[in-house]
Amino acid sequence: MVTARLARLLLALAGFVLIAGALPAHAQAGVAGQPLGACVLRDTGQRAEELIRHPERFDCTTTQYKLGPGTYWAISRDIGQVSRPDRPLVLRFASLWQGGLTLHLLYGDGTIRSSTTDRRGITPFIQMGAIAEQPIPVAEAPAVRALWHVQDAANVRGVMMGVLLATAHESATANMAMAALYACFAGMGLALIVYNFALWCAMRHRFQLHYCALLAALMAYTLSSSGALAWVAPMVANNDRLRFNYLFLGLAGGAAAMFTRSFFEDRIASRWLDRSTRAVAAMVPLSGIVVFLFGAINLRLADAFYTLTILGLIAIVLPTLWQAWLQRSNFLWLFAIAWSGPIALAILRIMANLHVIGWSFWLDNSTVVSMMFEALTSALAVAYRIKFLRDERDEAITREVLARRLADTDPLTGLLNRRAFLDQAIGRPGEQQLLIADLDHFKRVNETLGHDGGDEVLRNFSRMLRGIVPANALVARLGGEEFAILSHAGEAVEPNAVLARLRAARMPFDLKVTASIGVCLGPLTSDVDWKALYRGADSALFEAKSAGRDRARHTARRAA
């Protein structure tokens, strides 16, 4: 039981790790190639031809984000390799927020080759993993170093980061590996959306829709953060792609908060926790919208607001899990297992965004890995949750059936009571036969055997009636020692056979018990028919008792 509760704790952790761990990738660079690094210098009107030959002027020690936004020069360390037709070289670096980028390449023969991006920024150079890649033109002389002119850099994480020198073959291999990783998540995400939406159509549980919304937003985020959006829509500027990262991830964060709230039992969330969760579920998408709309004005401020809301998203996890633990939630352990990895990575991502720890390519690209882990585990968690819901439903149905059965049956004999008998009897199609049986001198039976003995006689008579009537017949105790048997006229019960079985039945202390029976035939489609049929059978019962008891009488006429 402790393990089960702990696992549901982990399931809530998994969605949040996925979200917080999926903070927009401002700085992504591939691991294919050799690190070059980059030093920066604020642009004050210098000329590229001069700066590219004097790398000693650049600052290589100050952390880049501390220099603030603006236009910068960034220079690489010496390359010293030849880009040949059979082995072309490329420069790979992180995709960052910038207004424009000009690359200057210095060759060993003293020539400089330059290229400038258009209004789309580095969109034409984006590879899988949102890695920018610029080719080094083929030349006979070796490339000495690269110099970039970075216009309007937001410098939230840096000006030029993760610079690598790679071959075209290494680049293609990295693209294939990243494409396989993203495609794996996309396939799982699509399958889980179909799976959970189908379950929602059948079961209508809110957490299923919230989880579908979470996966849909994350798949949209994967499209933009992976760089695939630059391939699908090459006219979209790279800064706009980064804004979509914020927007989609903000929507995913809101869906994750609502999924966590609805996944656990209602008793888990106190009033303040419920309000906090709803506030966070509104604030995280709002922060994504703020960055999307106003990031171009002041990305640093918008990014800080966004990071704080993601912190709020993680902050509600601990009290939610604590409440789930205190309330002995059935779903704590799976939630904790599914979301533990994403939450841990999310915390590290936030620490990197706040510059507590350094930037890392694998940390920056941990989102898709954590999403895949969460998707696999959450599929089990949702199935486990549905199993409990099914069990709860079945238990509720069983209780309802038992309660209805208790309300419809006579507690002493187990036969239908008068109300349930009339509910089922009135409206039966075709000609019906009604037998009213009354035990003879039952007061003497109680006086002879006592009330416990009299109750046993009633139970024995009831069992005998159930054993002799057709399967479609209704048997009820109308009250006291009076019983009713209703059957279709084509399956009529022979009253003398009932009397004979009663005479032969063994009663307490071998007491001989007899009964009188009145029989009437007629329709039973309405309450009026019932009253007429009952009056006829009751009149026949009175005639049987008047004639000496232990016999049956039929009415001389059919019930009208």
Side-chain angles (χ1 to χ4, degrees):
M1 290 299 294
V2 173
T3 303
R5 289 166 191 152
L6 187 55
R8 283 165 210 159
L9 164 69
L10 292 170
L11 173 61
L13 284 176
F16 279 99
V17 176
L18 167 68
I19 297 306
L23 286 171
H26 294 288
Q28 293 178 330
V31 292
Q34 305 169 5
L36 281 182
C39 301
V40 297
L41 177 67
R42 186 176 288 276
D43 181 13
T44 57
Q46 303 94 329
R47 296 173 62 248
E49 293 80 3
E50 179 183 0
L51 287 178
I52 201 170
R53 291 181 170 87
H54 296 280
E56 70 279 359
R57 297 183 183 181
F58 287 77
D59 185 353
C60 299
T61 58
T62 305
T63 306
Q64 292 182 15
Y65 78 89
K66 294 181 179 180
L67 300 175
T71 299
Y72 288 87
W73 295 95
I75 196 167
S76 73
R77 289 198 291 267
D78 289 352
I79 298 173
Q81 296 189 38
V82 178
S83 182
R84 302 191 307 268
D86 60 334
R87 188 177 177 270
L89 300 176
V90 295
L91 293 169
R92 293 165 66 86
F93 50 90
S95 167
L96 300 170
W97 188 290
Q98 51 197 215
L101 187 69
T102 301
L103 171 63
H104 305 279
L105 280 166
L106 174 64
Y107 288 84
D109 58 5
T111 60
I112 297 176
R113 296 188 183 185
S114 303
S115 61
T116 302
T117 61
D118 55 22
R119 63 176 185 82
R120 297 173 298 167
I122 60 173
T123 293
F125 307 127
I126 292 296
Q127 306 298 308
M128 291 305 298
I131 300 161
E133 179 180 290
Q134 289 183 297
I136 297 178
V138 174
E140 294 183 359
V144 177
R145 66 182 63 94
L147 175 69
W148 290 274
H149 187 234
V150 184
Q151 297 176 349
D152 300 324
N155 201 9
V156 177
R157 307 288 179 261
V159 176
M160 178 63 63
M161 300 181 64
V163 180
L164 298 171
L165 175 67
T167 65
H169 176 72
E170 289 173 331
S171 172
T173 302
N175 275 343
M176 290 296 293
M178 294 300 294
L181 192 63
Y182 284 113
C184 183
F185 171 72
M188 286 193 302
L190 183 60
L192 286 174
I193 288 176
V194 174
Y195 166 68
N196 283 278
F197 186 75
L199 289 176
W200 177 81
C201 291
M203 307 185 73
R204 301 287 174 169
H205 294 300
R206 289 179 301 167
F207 73 88
Q208 294 165 334
L209 272 187
H210 293 155
Y211 192 60
C212 287
L214 168 62
L215 288 171
L218 286 173
M219 290 182 67
Y221 168 74
T222 303
L223 176 67
S224 62
S225 67
S226 67
L229 181 62
W231 295 9
V232 175
M235 298 308 295
V236 174
N238 188 59
N239 287 355
D240 291 338
R241 182 188 64 81
L242 293 175
R243 295 198 302 169
F244 278 115
N245 283 358
Y246 283 99
L247 177 63
F248 294 143
L249 200 56
L251 295 175
M258 294 309 299
F259 170 72
T260 301
R261 170 63 188 88
S262 59
F263 183 80
F264 288 108
E265 301 91 335
D266 290 337
R267 70 177 188 273
I268 298 301
S270 58
R271 178 175 298 180
W272 73 267
L273 183 57
D274 183 66
R275 290 178 178 175
S276 299
T277 302
R278 294 180 185 277
V280 169
M283 288 300 295
V284 176
L286 177 62
S287 67
I289 294 173
V290 167
V291 177
F292 183 80
L293 296 177
F294 306 109
I297 299 175
N298 192 328
L299 182 62
R300 280 181 163 237
L301 183 61
D303 180 79
F305 174 58
Y306 182 85
T307 302
L308 288 176
T309 61
I310 295 296
L311 276 173
L313 183 62
I314 296 180
I316 66 172
V317 175
L318 293 180
T320 300
L321 298 181
W322 178 248
Q323 288 293 324
W325 177 267
L326 293 179
Q327 297 295 330
R328 298 296 187 265
S329 170
N330 292 318
F331 316 113
L332 181 60
W333 66 278
L334 273 177
F335 191 88
I337 289 175
W339 291 84
S340 57
I343 287 191
L345 292 173
I347 294 173
L348 292 176
R349 287 291 301 276
I350 290 178
M351 292 174 66
N353 287 356
L354 296 175
H355 309 293
V356 177
I357 61 176
W359 173 84
S360 165
F361 167 78
W362 289 115
L363 179 60
D364 210 38
N365 285 274
S366 62
T367 298
V368 66
V369 179
S370 63
M371 287 192 295
M372 290 173 62
F373 172 79
E374 187 277 336
L376 288 172
T377 312
S378 289
L380 298 177
V382 170
Y384 188 70
R385 175 77 166 93
I386 291 172
K387 174 187 177 297
F388 265 86
L389 291 171
R390 183 202 64 196
D391 293 344
E392 291 173 354
R393 179 202 61 193
D394 293 346
E395 184 179 351
I397 291 174
T398 301
R399 288 197 301 266
E400 182 181 355
V401 170
L402 290 176
R404 188 177 300 169
R405 185 174 299 173
L406 289 173
D408 291 347
T409 57
D410 173 60
L412 177 63
T413 63
L415 300 178
L416 294 174
N417 57 29
R418 185 183 186 91
R419 181 191 59 78
F421 173 76
L422 293 179
D423 287 343
Q424 299 183 37
I426 297 175
R428 282 165 65 105
E431 193 86 351
Q432 303 292 316
Q433 180 201 56
L434 176 65
L435 277 69
I436 302 296
D438 188 271
L439 296 179
D440 296 330
H441 303 298
F442 192 69
K443 183 178 180 181
R444 296 181 188 174
V445 173
N446 278 333
E447 292 172 351
T448 303
L449 301 178
H451 286 288
D452 289 342
D455 290 346
E456 184 62 26
V457 169
L458 293 175
R459 283 191 287 266
N460 287 346
F461 184 54
S462 300
R463 284 193 291 269
M464 185 269 292
L465 288 179
R466 282 197 295 264
I468 198 173
V469 301
N472 293 326
L474 300 179
V475 184
R477 181 187 179 197
L478 298 182
E481 64 274 17
E482 185 177 78
F483 296 80
I485 305 168
L486 183 70
S487 62
H488 294 288
E491 299 177 329
V493 176
E494 176 53 50
N496 289 320
V498 175
L499 295 176
R501 286 284 295 273
L502 178 59
R503 295 185 197 107
R506 185 167 183 175
M507 294 294 177
F509 298 99
D510 292 329
L511 183 68
K512 297 299 179 184
V513 178
T514 61
S516 300
I517 297 178
V519 184
C520 188
L521 288 171
L524 192 50
T525 58
S526 66
D527 188 62
V528 174
D529 291 338
W530 160 251
K531 292 178 180 179
L533 195 62
Y534 182 79
R535 281 198 300 269
D538 190 58
S539 176
L541 174 63
F542 181 77
E543 292 179 11
K545 287 186 174 293
S546 299
R549 293 183 171 81
D550 191 21
R551 66 200 65 209
R553 289 290 184 268
H554 295 72
T555 51
R557 59 179 179 77
R558 293 174 177 266

